[in-house]
Amino acid sequence: VTYQEFKKTFGDDGNKLVASFQTPSLFDANYYNNFKQLCDSISHLKGVNQVLSPVRLYRFELDSSEQLKLKHLAPQSLKNQKEADSIQEIFHQLKFYEGLLYNSQTKVSLVLVSLNESTLNSKDRTPLIQHIEFLLNEFGQRYNTEIHLSGLPFVRYKNATTVRDEIVMFTL
C-alpha cells in the first residue's frame, strides 16, 4: 500500500534517489540556506531532472488576474531568522507535503532526486550518484548529521560497485 501511495504521489520510482536525515535546525535561517544551496547544486547536475525537498517546494498562489500560479515557497536565500520563521509557518500550512517530505514530530526531512533515465542507463550513472552521495555526506558532516540514502538508482549503484569490487578481489 505504501509503495502504491508513493508511486501515486511521485510517479515511477525507478529513477528516484532518496536521502533522509533528522535535524531540529531545518528552519534555522543559516541551515535552511545551506540546505537550499545543496539542493540547488544537486538540481543543476547533468542527469538530474528535479530535486524536491522541504527547501525546494512549490505552492499555488493567485496572481493579479486571479489565475493560479505555481511558485517556489522560498525562491531565494533567506535574509534573516524572521524570514525563516515565516517560511516555516507557511510550510506547516501546506498540508499536501505533511508527512511526505518532512515529519514535524520526528524532525526527519527527505530529499527526493529525480534522475534522467538515459543517464541511469549509461556509464554516467556511477559518477553522478557518487557525486550526489559526496555532496549529501559532505553536508551531513558539516552539520554532524547522518544522511541515509536509498532508492533504486542508489541500490543499483551500490550493488554494481560491490560486485565489481568482489570480482576484482577474487581474480587477483
Side-chain angles (χ1 to χ4, degrees), residues 129-138 149 154 157-158:
I129 294 174
Q130 285 174 333
H131 192 63
I132 292 169
E133 181 181 27
F134 172 79
L135 291 172
L136 288 163
N137 285 329
E138 185 179 58
L149 293 158
F154 185 73
Y157 153 72
K158 280 299 193 186

Side-chain angles (χ1 to χ4, degrees), residues 45-118:
L45 295 174
K46 184 180 180 203
V48 172
N49 292 335
Q50 179 66 272
V51 175
L52 194 61
S53 75
V55 297
R56 283 184 55 93
L57 294 179
Y58 300 92
R59 64 182 172 146
F60 287 105
E61 281 187 5
L62 284 176
D63 66 9
S64 58
S65 63
E66 298 295 313
Q67 296 289 320
L68 272 179
K69 298 288 181 185
L70 197 59
K71 295 215 167 187
H72 284 278
L73 181 62
Q76 64 245 0
S77 294
L78 305 177
K79 294 180 184 85
N80 53 47
Q81 189 57 44
K82 185 177 178 181
E83 284 186 5
D85 294 341
S86 176
I87 290 296
Q88 181 178 14
E89 185 177 325
I90 294 167
F91 176 79
H92 288 299
Q93 292 171 1
L94 298 172
K95 299 299 181 192
F96 174 80
Y97 297 113
E98 191 172 297
L100 292 175
L101 296 174
Y102 181 72
N103 184 318
S104 58
Q105 293 166 340
T106 62
K107 309 293 187 216
V108 172
S109 296
L110 288 182
V111 178
L112 186 68
V113 182
S114 174
L115 301 173
N116 180 287
E117 284 290 331
S118 62

Side-chain angles (χ1 to χ4, degrees), residues 151-164:
L152 192 56
F154 185 73
V155 171
R156 282 178 60 197
Y157 153 72
K158 280 299 193 186
N159 284 340
T161 55
T162 300
V163 168
R164 182 195 67 216

Side-chain angles (χ1 to χ4, degrees), residues 123 125-127 130 156-172:
K123 62 179 177 52
R125 175 182 71 229
T126 297
Q130 285 174 333
R156 282 178 60 197
Y157 153 72
K158 280 299 193 186
N159 284 340
T161 55
T162 300
V163 168
R164 182 195 67 216
D165 292 347
E166 287 177 356
I167 288 172
V168 169
M169 183 176 68
F170 288 123
T171 57
L172 292 179

Side-chain angles (χ1 to χ4, degrees), residues 31-50:
Y31 188 95
Y32 187 96
N33 285 337
N34 288 324
F35 183 31
K36 184 169 181 358
Q37 183 179 21
L38 166 70
C39 291
D40 289 346
S41 294
I42 292 171
S43 75
H44 290 104
L45 295 174
K46 184 180 180 203
V48 172
N49 292 335
Q50 179 66 272

